């Protein structure tokens, strides 16, 4: 096979594999270089998301949620489940099976679309050439008219808590515990800290989250963040804000090993002892050794590849997408960038609407949002109306005994155009998507209010929140009427 392609993609995570498939669909001779491999040296596709991110974490979240429901909620439905136990290795094996099915799925899609997968580590050289170092150490040079860099990201490590993959782990290690730790520490009350902290808390661990910032989830709408802190604390997470970790010491041997973490908070120096510690303080782009200095591709101070709004670098025909470029590190953002780049290579004018990226934290209840928060609108000095509706009076939520949380919709005071939607509640990830679509079509809250929603459904809370923006909610007393 010739080593000249129309498109070479480096990295087969959500950004890279989607870009590669779309390029092939558009008729380009496409190769995708991926360094993740199995024991036999075969490339494993899907990147962080399928292997150690979105999918395995959600598998554990769903397993642990069912366990917690059986323990705490079944009884309210009249179901007694006295001897419910959790077989942790079986839960982990189920997760691994789902990961295997999905990564194999990408492999099948590559072969169906005629994307050539190349196992090895790619490095961009000058002149749109890519040096591929195979797993046996041999090298090969390939070239293409267009290159898409999609090397993704890795966890950030901090000096006070070096990862030993035994007692101190990152998010990948936290997906592989063989038993439930009695005392689990989590550094970082971000998305990973709250999701994986919830998994092990539901299974019986005493979970303490140490967060350096004084505010809880500062990027989330403040009203929703407060509600989230209240609910997660009620579930058993011990959340310590303003806790700056200064050091750690592992003591003991074998199964009696533990780690003492030192931190300072408003009350001065503190110590806490844990059986396992998860470090979840953010991720960084994986761009060291990705581009040769002579390639012309620029990295910023934090290691992100510098691109414009359409993911083009300064080198004609070289693009970058996903976690290695600016913007939120989210699989769906990377996938849309992958599609945009492929279609732009084909001469189309596809764009990504970065103002409408949906965000979800998969705790229970889920926290999901799109658009502006109330605090952002206040900072911008924009006039807005608010509509909220609590799940505690939504019939479907009551039927399911899943009534924590609310829907909040923000709309422009003059035009009524929806500016943001913030949900904490059951199935918030799916509910917020209704508003993403509405906002893509520049809907007003009245448009949503005039739309028919099925009954009984959780989405009626979205409908009622939209009606409440203008004081028209039917199933609750409006704060103001019009
Ligand atoms: P990656 O998925 O990191 O893929 C990059 C690929 O490139 C990898 O396969 C890597 O091996 C390969 N690669 C790197 N360098 C080279 C090279 N030089 N040569 C060849 N191959 C190379 N996001 C969500 O949207 N929803 C979630 O629920 C969610 N949950 C998450 C849970 C966890 C625990 C973690 C860690 C992340 C989660 N994320 C989630 C984030 C999501 O996984 C990332 O945003 C997404 O995977 C980024 O996609 P990407 O293609 O840019 O990079
Ligand atoms: P994050 O940025 O969400 O949270 C990191 C937290 O750690 C922040 O609250 C930060 O203030 C805190 N922190 C940083 N340094 C600290 C220190 N020294 N001591 C104590 N706290 C410290 O990052 P994450 O949770 O590691 O997730 C990484 C990325 O993965 C995120 O960008 C996220 O978008 C993505 N992700 C997404 C999902 C999802 O979409 N559901 C799930 C998991 C991960």
């Amino acid at each position: 096979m010739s080593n000249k392609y129309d498109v070479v993609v480096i990295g087969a995570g959500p950004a890279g594999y989607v870009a590669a498939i779309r390029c092939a669909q558009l008729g380009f001779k496409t190769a995708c270089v991926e360094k993740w491999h199995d024991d036999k040296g075969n490339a494993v596709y899907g990147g962080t998301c399928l292997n150690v991110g979105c999918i395995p974490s959600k598998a554990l979240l769903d397993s642990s949620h069912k366990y917690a429901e059986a323990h705490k909620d079944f009884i309210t439905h009249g179901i007694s489940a006295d001897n419910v136990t959790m077989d942790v290795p079986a839960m982990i094996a189920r997760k691994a099976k789902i990961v295997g099915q999905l990564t194999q799925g990408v492999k099948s899609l590559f072969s169906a679309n005629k994307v050539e997968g190349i196992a090895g580590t790619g490095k961009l050289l000058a002149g749109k050439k890519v040096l591929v170092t195979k797993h046996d150490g041999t090298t090969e040079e390939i070239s293409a008219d267009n290159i898409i860099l999609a090397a993704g990201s890795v966890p950030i490590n901090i000096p006070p808590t070096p990862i030993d993959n035994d007692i101190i782990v990152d998010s990948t290690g936290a997906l592989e515990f063989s038993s439930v730790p009695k005392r689990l520490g989590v550094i970082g009350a971000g998305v990973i800290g709250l999701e994986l902290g919830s998994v092990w808390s539901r299974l019986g661990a005493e979970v303490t989250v140490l967060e350096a910032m004084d505010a809880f989830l500062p990027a989330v709408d403040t009203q929703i963040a407060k509600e989230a802190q209240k609910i997660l604390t009620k579930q058993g997470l011990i959340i310590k804000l303003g806790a700056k970790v200064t050091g750690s010491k592992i003591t003991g041997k074998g199964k009696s090993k533990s780690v003492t973490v030192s931190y300072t908070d408003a009350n001065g120096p503190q110590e806490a002892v844990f059986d396992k510690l998860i470090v979840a303080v953010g991720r960084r782009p994986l761009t060291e050794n990705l581009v040769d200095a002579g390639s012309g591709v620029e990295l910023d101070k934090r290691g992100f590849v510098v691109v414009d709004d359409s993911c083009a670098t300064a080198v004609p025909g070289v693009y970058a997408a996903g976690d290695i470029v600016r913007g939120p590190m989210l699989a769906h953002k990377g996938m849309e960038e992958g599609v945009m780049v492929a279609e732009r290579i084909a001469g189309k004018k596809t764009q990504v609407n970065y103002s409408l990226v949906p965000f979800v934290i998969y705790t229970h209840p889920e926290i999901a949002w799109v658009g502006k928060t109330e605090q952002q609108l206040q900072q911008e000095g924009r006039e807005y109306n608010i509509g909220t509706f609590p799940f505690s009076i939504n019939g479907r939520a009551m039927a399911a005994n899943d009534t924590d949380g609310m829907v909040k919709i923000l709309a422009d005071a003059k035009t009524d155009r929806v500016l943001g939607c913030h949900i904490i509640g059951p199935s918030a990830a799916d509910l917020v998507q209704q508003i993403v679509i509405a906002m893509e079509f520049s809907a007003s809250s009245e448009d949503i209010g005039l739309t028919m929603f099925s009954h009984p459904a959780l989405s009626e809370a979205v409908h009622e929140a939209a009606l409440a923006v203008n004081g028209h909610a039917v199933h609750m007393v409006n704060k103001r009427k019009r």
Side-chain angles (χ1 to χ4, degrees), residues 24 29 72 80 99 151-152 154 187 190 233 257 266 331 357 378 413 415 435:
K29 184 185 172 199
K72 295 185 181 149
S80 58
V99 168
V154 288
I187 306 185
T233 303
K257 264 189 187 176
V357 177
Q378 283 166 356
T415 64
I435 299 298

Side-chain angles (χ1 to χ4, degrees), residues 207-394:
V207 178
T208 305
V209 187
L210 302 173
E211 166 59 50
M213 310 260 276
D214 293 324
F216 182 68
L217 293 177
V220 175
D221 183 273
T222 306
Q223 187 180 4
I224 300 291
K226 276 195 184 132
E227 189 69 12
Q229 189 175 358
K230 203 172 76 193
I231 293 170
L232 294 174
T233 303
K234 202 172 94 192
Q235 288 174 4
L237 288 190
I238 302 162
I239 301 166
K240 293 186 187 276
L241 300 176
K244 294 178 180 65
V245 175
T246 50
S248 62
K249 191 170 175 211
I250 295 175
T251 51
K253 279 195 181 143
K255 285 193 172 162
S256 61
K257 264 189 187 176
S258 62
V259 56
T260 303
V261 176
S262 336
Y263 62 96
T264 54
D265 64 12
N267 299 317
Q270 312 284 344
E271 274 188 358
V273 182
F274 304 114
D275 303 305
K276 295 272 185 195
L277 179 68
I278 305 173
V279 181
V281 295
R283 295 176 63 82
R284 61 175 179 83
L286 182 53
T287 48
E288 60 260 26
N289 298 321
L290 178 65
V291 292
D292 190 72
S295 70
V297 169
E298 197 191 331
L299 303 184
D300 71 13
K301 278 187 203 144
R302 294 162 63 211
F304 289 95
V305 177
V306 177
V307 289
D308 65 12
D309 283 351
S310 51
C311 288
T313 70
V315 183
V318 179
Y319 304 83
D323 282 8
I324 58 166
V325 302
R326 82 280 171 273
M329 287 182 166
L330 295 172
H332 42 283
K333 175 257 191 190
M335 290 191 215
E336 292 307 312
E337 288 181 335
V339 169
M340 170 174 72
V341 168
E343 296 192 347
R344 286 195 160 247
I345 290 171
K348 297 174 191 278
K349 299 287 176 222
T350 313
Q351 291 181 330
V352 169
N353 185 353
Y354 288 102
S355 66
L356 289 186
V357 177
F359 293 82
V360 182
I361 305 175
Y362 290 86
T363 46
H364 192 88
E366 293 174 351
I367 304 159
W369 69 98
V370 63
K372 304 268 183 183
T373 60
E374 200 176 343
Q375 62 267 28
Q376 280 174 328
L377 294 177
Q378 283 166 356
Q379 274 160 15
E380 289 171 13
R382 202 152 171 185
E383 286 183 32
Y384 57 92
N385 288 326
I386 309 173
T388 59
F389 192 85
F391 285 101
S392 58
I393 50 173
N394 171 272

